[in-house]
Amino acid sequence: MARGTDDPVDGGPALLTVSVIMPTLNWGGCFDVAASSVIAQLGGVSAAGTEFLVVSDGPGGGAPAILDDGKCRVLATGVRKGPACARNLGAAHAVGDVLFFVDADVEIAPGAIERVRAAFGAAPDLMAVFGTYDDAPACEGTVSQFRNLLHHHTHVSHPGKAATFWSGCGAIRAALFADLGGFDESFQHPSVEDIELGMRVKAMGGKIELDPLLRCKHHKSWSLRSMVVTDIFQRAVPWTRLIVDSGEVPATLNLDWGNRACGAAAVLTVLSLPAAAIARRWEILALVPVLLSVMAWMHGDFYRLCLRRRGPAFALASFALHALFYFYSTLTFAAVVVSSAIGRLSSRLRGTRS
């Protein structure tokens, strides 16, 4: 399979070739399910224009037998360097016109590869496209169901033009990826390397689309602790730093005006409790139901989804988890912005004194 092939298929336009790239830390867990979902789509027409590259972020030994059928190439970074480096290694060995990145805990839906191929074939100006988790997460725990359904709802609610990118189930033209230098390898752990890449695509005027029908199933299990730690240290902190450096707050996905209002409501709800106690003005607490109503109104569709999926108790738990999510995410955003402002001011003062 050669990149940029001019050979037409059945007298039609040239077939865009697709390289599916899946980084992984190990071969356990749900890797077999994720890899099998790709391998199952390598037959038929796809076989002529699709390759599958699995990149072990480490030594790479002991690959499972499902990768030995000739439909997959296995690469290894040698030592653990992070998913950004692993994806870049896969891209360096890929020969497809389009690079389709899929996480090793993600099971892509039937037809996903052909949907990616069709999207780029139908829109020559399309530079990148990404999809969403489905509404039936694999893990049954309350936090896992909430976290994955929230991701699904956020993406499905913002179809079309996007200002970011998602490498869990996202594709980009290989030529553009090479021109941009790939993912930033300074991200040595799973973080916002995909968002940072999307920001560079947008900065150069590239068109990115969110396709809510490009589906996959997430197999990751979340605990309350892992959700909070990941959201703060692997998402909110580095993402806010990217925003501060760019000087622009994108009004998309988690940062649209509705989500900003919900973040403010969550913080004010929590702060109203000590404020009422300190001031001995208990009427302040009358604000709490009003503020919580803002969240309920803004995300009624999401809570109705939770209600349909698992009933009233889960919907109420999701509301509480959502409020918690908004509280710590908003405080983290504010803390990073203030810290960055103080840092810049200190640098200016030192420059003035020197």
Side-chain angles (χ1 to χ4, degrees), residues 74-197:
V74 179
L75 307 169
T77 60
V79 295
R80 184 172 180 180
K81 297 181 178 180
C85 180
R87 295 189 191 102
N88 286 347
L89 178 62
H93 286 79
V95 295
D97 302 303
V98 174
L99 307 177
F100 184 13
F101 297 104
V102 178
D103 280 350
D105 58 3
V106 162
E107 176 187 356
I108 58 173
I113 295 175
E114 287 308 307
R115 188 168 186 87
V116 165
R117 193 196 313 278
F120 286 100
D125 63 334
L126 180 64
M127 293 294 106
V129 64
F130 61 97
T132 180
Y133 297 143
D134 64 19
D135 61 355
C139 296
E140 290 297 318
T142 297
V143 178
S144 296
Q145 288 279 311
F146 160 76
R147 199 67 184 83
N148 293 324
L149 285 175
L150 178 60
H151 182 285
H152 162 81
H153 181 264
T154 300
H155 280 205
V156 169
S157 300
H158 296 80
K161 186 178 180 181
T164 185
F165 182 66
W166 179 49
S167 58
C169 180
I172 185 171
R173 290 192 187 272
L176 174 64
F177 186 83
D179 289 344
L180 293 173
F183 291 102
D184 183 347
E185 295 184 7
S186 67
F187 292 99
Q188 297 182 351
H189 302 280
S191 186
V192 294
E193 67 275 6
D194 47 1
I195 294 174
E196 191 275 337
L197 176 64

Side-chain angles (χ1 to χ4, degrees), residues 16-33:
L16 280 175
T17 52
V18 179
S19 297
V20 182
I21 299 172
M22 180 178 290
T24 184
L25 269 177
N26 54 62
W27 311 112
C30 55
F31 174 80
D32 280 8
V33 175

Side-chain angles (χ1 to χ4, degrees), residues 154-155 158 163-164 192 195 199 235-236 238-244 246 248-263 299 325-326 329-330 332-334 337:
T154 300
H155 280 205
H158 296 80
T164 185
V192 294
I195 294 174
M199 293 174 71
R235 307 295 291 180
W239 193 355
T240 305
R241 286 173 178 163
L242 289 178
I243 291 171
V244 170
S246 70
E248 179 183 359
V249 181
T252 58
L253 295 181
N254 287 328
L255 295 175
D256 65 13
W257 289 105
N259 280 289
R260 296 181 199 182
C262 289
H299 293 289
F325 166 80
Y326 275 124
S329 296
T330 302
T332 302
F333 180 87
V337 169

Side-chain angles (χ1 to χ4, degrees), residues 258 261-262 264-266 269 285-301 303-304 319 323 326:
C262 289
T269 296
L285 296 181
L287 289 173
V288 172
V290 176
L291 293 169
L292 294 179
S293 295
V294 172
M295 276 188 56
W297 180 72
M298 288 285 187
H299 293 289
D301 288 345
Y303 302 128
R304 284 190 288 273
F319 183 85
Y326 275 124

Side-chain angles (χ1 to χ4, degrees), residues 30-65:
C30 55
F31 174 80
D32 280 8
V33 175
S36 295
S37 71
V38 176
I39 293 172
Q41 298 183 41
L42 298 183
V45 176
S46 300
T50 307
E51 65 173 350
F52 183 28
L53 299 94
V54 174
V55 186
S56 171
D57 186 19

